[in-house]
Each structure stands twice: as C-alpha cells, then as structure tokens.
Amino acid sequence: MKTLGIISEFNPFHNGHKYLLDKAKKELKADLAISIMSGDFVQRGEAAIMDKFSRASVAVKCGFDLVIEIPSFVTLQSAEFFAKKSVNILNKINIDYLVFGIENINTDDFLKACKVIIENEKNIDSKIKSLIASGLSYPKSHNKALLDFVSSDFLSSNNILALEYMRALYKINSKIKPYPINRIKTKNEDQSIIDKNFASSTAIRNNLDNDIKSLIPIESYIELSNFMNEYKSFDYDYIYKIFKYKILIEDYPMCKILGYEQGIDNYLARLARDNNLYNNFIDQATSQRYTKSRIKRLVLNYILDNTMELNNLDLSFVKVLAYNNKATENFNNLANKLNIVINKSDLKKLKITDLLVFNKMIEASNFYNLGIGREIDYDFRHNNRPI
C-alpha cells in the first residue's frame, strides 16, 4: 500500500490544495492520503480563518483519508522547526511520499538546489549567524546566505518551507521520498486575486467580502460560510489585553518561552505601554531583526506558556481531527508506533509527556474558542466520527 503525506494549514482549503492532492494521488497511485495540519493557530502566528475540525472535515471531503493535528507549540515556531517536527511525526506514521508545492523552479532544479544547500550547510549557517549579528532577521539572513549557492528564483516562502522539509528528511535519514509539485496560476505570497480559479490562501482571506466561490471547492465554501455565520471573527485585541496584563502587570518571565531572545521582553513591554491596539503594537514591534510573524508567535507562546522544554519531548501519539472509513481500516498500522487519540477515552493510553502536549493543544483550542465567542472544550464535544 502506498501512502502520501502533506503538511498543511488549509487556511482555507482552496483549489490549489485540491490540485496538489489530486495530482499526487494520480501520479503516485497512492492508496491512502494523510495530512498533518496546524490546529486553531497557524504558523504565521494568527488565528485560523475557521477552526481545525472544520478545515479537517473539508480536507477529508475533498480527498484526504486522514487529518492529524500538529501540536500547537510546533505550529507556533519558525519554518525550520515546524518542518522538522512535522516531518518527524510523518516519519513515525511510515508514509511513503511527502508531497509539497514549489514555485518558480522545476522539480529537478529544486532537488539539485536543495542538495547543494544541504552539502554546504556549515558555511551557510556561519554566514547566517554573522548576518543576524549585524541586525538582520533570521529569514532575511537565511535568504541572503542562500544566494551564494542558488538563484534568486529559489527564494520564495513556498520554496524555503519546501527546503526545510528536505533538510528534515535528510537529518533523520528518512525513507520517505520527497515529491515536489509545481504550483499553478498563482504564487504562495500573492496578496490579491489574479486568476478566476486559483488564488493563494492569503489572497482569499484578503477578499472574503468579495465572491470567492470559484476559488475554493464547494465543500470548503459551505463550511467557511457556515462558520463565519455562526461565530465572530477572532478578536485580536482580546489577545493583546491578556498579553499586556501578563507582561506589564503580572510581570510574568518570558525567558523560557519559545521564540524568546535576550532583551526582547523589555523591548515588547516598552512598546506595549505606548500602544492600546494590537495591530499598532505588532507594526511597531516589527523591525529588521524581528519579523511580524515572529512577534505574533512569541505573543501567543507567551500567553499559552509554551516553554522551550516542549521541544525536547519525543511524541508518541497523534490527535485525529477527521478521517474516513478507509483510514479506520489502517489505524492498526499507525498504532504500531503511535497512540491514536480520537475521543477523550483515548487519553488513558498516553504517557505523562504526551499528555502534557495534548493538554497544551487543548489550551490553545480553548483560547481560540474564547476569541471567536464559542464555549470552551469544544474538542471533547465535537462529534468525531468517520466522514
């Protein structure tokens, strides 16, 4: 049996995602399609446009067999760690192929470029450290260092994340085969809609007041419409009030929080005193050294008390968000290496460290629930049956 895996956010699930999945299933003749997906908060440090169960349900209705949740502390980190931990989980599931999108470059050239970068990693890392010391952010330093070995066409956010997948596979000596597929019509960084059938997730989110029906599968459109009618948009000033309380009034230490760098707590506290609105605070905090996404992730990790110790934990469970009957038939294969959590009763199988991570995932979801005006503990009330 052939199994493919895709690391995703589906924020929201759009025609490009459907194209990637369908093309991969056809070319690889895959029997099972698995996605490991961000929960209620995504890697750029923002709340997802709709909750994790809604997005996972759409994914299964559109062709996936199983959707697993990426732990929240993994999602709220840099692309390097996000890729590393996600690939590690997929490696334990024993998938055969890791499928991902690339752009501006053909498949062979992409794989050759990744090989060159991996072979010169020590030199690249040395230059990155030097550039960071000069005041540049990690992403800018990383891209600038890569230009000694690849063309500027390689430097898109889509390709950089794909590169991190390749690095992760190499570092753990995985048997998983990478399977890059070129994006069509649009680029990952597009902010506006330029094609009638395809658009980036960002462009779709930026145009929710317009007609986006042709850009996403009907299953995604219905789920998104229902979710937006039932719940309010996530309240970011609610995040900011809690952040200001913790850093200015409670004076809760930030030094052990994921994403912390010496001095950044004083820097953010000073800005928080002078800004009453979240967006103003984020804009002022963003600099050559600190990207907007990094600040947003740090704020969430600080509120959720996601500490650096979490990175040392070796996970031995997966939390299932959505699945079909075909996936059910293969749960025994997955259970050889990992405990499967679908319902609350499954928690008794987890060891203490896994339970710690699971509880962190629930805390993040409850934080999201409060931000959209929904009761907490939806994870335990959601009807998680085969789709």
Side-chain angles (χ1 to χ4, degrees):
M1 183 181 73
K2 291 184 180 179
T3 304
L4 68 83
I6 293 178
I7 301 169
S8 65
E9 295 197 318
F10 299 146
N11 190 35
F13 193 101
H14 55 63
N15 291 343
H17 296 132
K18 178 68 172 165
Y19 168 81
L20 180 75
L21 175 63
D22 289 348
K23 185 174 176 65
K25 287 171 71 173
K26 181 179 179 180
E27 293 180 355
L28 295 172
K29 296 180 173 55
D31 304 293
L32 197 70
I34 298 174
S35 178
I36 178 168
M37 187 190 81
S38 298
D40 290 323
F41 293 97
V42 296
Q43 200 261 336
R44 66 177 61 208
E46 296 175 356
I49 193 172
M50 55 181 170
D51 79 317
K52 59 190 181 184
F53 292 110
S54 300
R55 285 154 41 234
S57 174
V58 169
V60 171
K61 291 173 183 176
C62 288
F64 282 93
D65 301 297
L66 174 65
V67 180
I68 293 166
E69 181 177 357
I70 302 174
S72 50
F73 81 92
V74 174
T75 297
L76 294 173
Q77 292 198 66
S78 67
E80 179 183 5
F81 188 85
F82 174 82
K84 176 183 175 182
K85 206 71 173 182
S86 298
V87 166
N88 188 260
I89 294 171
L90 288 174
N91 195 59
K92 290 183 178 182
I93 296 173
N94 287 328
I95 65 167
D96 298 294
Y97 298 94
L98 176 61
V99 178
F100 50 85
I102 58 173
E103 56 193 23
N104 300 334
I105 188 171
N106 66 49
T107 298
D108 289 340
D109 287 344
F110 170 80
L111 293 174
K112 289 176 184 176
C114 289
K115 186 174 185 293
V116 169
I117 291 168
I118 290 171
E119 289 174 347
N120 291 276
E121 193 159 11
K122 288 185 179 179
N123 291 334
I124 292 171
D125 286 346
S126 177
K127 184 162 185 178
I128 289 173
K129 290 177 182 177
S130 175
L131 291 168
I132 289 175
S134 72
L136 287 182
S137 66
Y138 176 83
K140 288 183 178 179
S141 300
H142 181 262
N143 288 358
K144 197 168 183 179
L146 290 185
L147 285 175
D148 289 343
F149 301 94
V150 297
S151 70
S152 58
D153 287 344
F154 186 90
L155 300 180
S156 74
S157 61
N158 206 70
N159 291 348
I160 295 303
L161 186 56
L163 167 64
E164 296 302 342
Y165 297 152
M166 296 291 294
R167 278 175 165 162
L169 290 172
Y170 173 78
K171 286 180 179 178
I172 62 174
N173 195 27
S174 176
K175 294 180 181 179
I176 297 173
K177 297 177 182 177
Y179 199 78
I181 292 178
N182 280 97
R183 290 176 67 102
I184 58 171
K185 304 289 186 179
T186 63
K187 296 180 181 179
N188 188 53
E189 296 174 339
D190 286 344
Q191 300 285 317
S192 57
I193 295 171
I194 58 177
D195 185 88
K196 64 179 182 179
N197 296 120
F198 291 91
S200 70
S201 296
T202 302
I204 292 171
R205 293 195 303 273
N206 287 346
N207 287 275
L208 293 178
D209 292 335
N210 299 320
D211 185 7
I212 60 168
K213 199 169 184 178
S214 65
L215 301 169
I216 60 180
I218 187 62
E219 297 88 348
S220 186
Y221 183 81
I222 291 171
E223 196 75 41
L224 179 58
S225 298
N226 290 341
F227 188 87
M228 293 177 69
N229 287 332
E230 186 170 359
Y231 303 109
K232 67 178 184 179
S233 298
F234 191 87
D235 185 356
Y236 283 97
D237 284 323
Y238 146 76
I239 285 183
Y240 189 44
K241 288 173 184 176
I242 297 175
F243 174 76
K244 288 185 74 171
Y245 174 83
K246 289 194 72 169
I247 198 168
L248 297 179
I249 299 173
E250 186 181 358
D251 194 23
Y252 187 78
M254 190 183 284
C255 56
K256 294 183 179 180
I257 300 299
L258 290 168
Y260 174 79
E261 178 182 314
Q262 187 173 3
I264 197 170
D265 44 355
N266 295 327
Y267 170 69
L268 296 181
R270 185 173 68 253
L271 294 176
R273 287 184 182 277
D274 298 331
N275 287 280
N276 291 323
L277 297 176
Y278 174 79
N279 286 335
N280 291 347
F281 165 76
I282 294 297
D283 287 342
Q284 285 208 15
T286 303
S287 66
Q288 278 279 87
R289 189 175 189 87
Y290 304 125
T291 65
K292 186 170 291 189
S293 293
R294 180 180 177 182
I295 298 297
K296 289 179 178 181
R297 290 195 298 265
L298 179 57
V299 166
L300 287 170
N301 281 322
Y302 181 58
I303 292 172
L304 294 169
D305 198 26
N306 288 335
T307 60
M308 297 175 187
E309 287 81 1
L310 290 168
N311 282 350
N312 299 323
L313 301 181
D314 184 31
L315 305 183
S316 58
F317 81 99
V318 289
K319 186 177 189 304
V320 173
L321 296 177
Y323 61 104
N324 59 20
N325 288 322
K326 189 194 293 187
T328 305
E329 296 168 4
N330 288 277
F331 278 163
N332 286 338
N333 293 331
L334 297 182
N336 286 334
K337 288 191 174 183
L338 298 166
N339 289 312
I340 299 171
V341 176
I342 300 176
N343 301 306
K344 194 172 184 179
S345 59
D346 297 322
L347 298 180
K348 61 186 178 183
K349 300 180 292 188
L350 301 188
K351 61 184 183 182
I352 293 176
T353 51
D354 284 343
L355 196 57
L356 170 64
V357 172
F358 179 86
N359 287 335
K360 284 293 180 183
M361 295 163 77
I362 297 298
E363 288 171 10
S365 292
N366 280 335
F367 189 53
Y368 180 87
N369 290 335
L370 291 173
I372 64 170
R374 182 166 68 186
E375 292 182 4
I376 64 172
D377 290 339
Y378 182 75
D379 283 62
F380 301 124
R381 296 197 306 276
H382 174 71
N383 184 9
N384 209 351
R385 295 177 181 174
I387 293 172

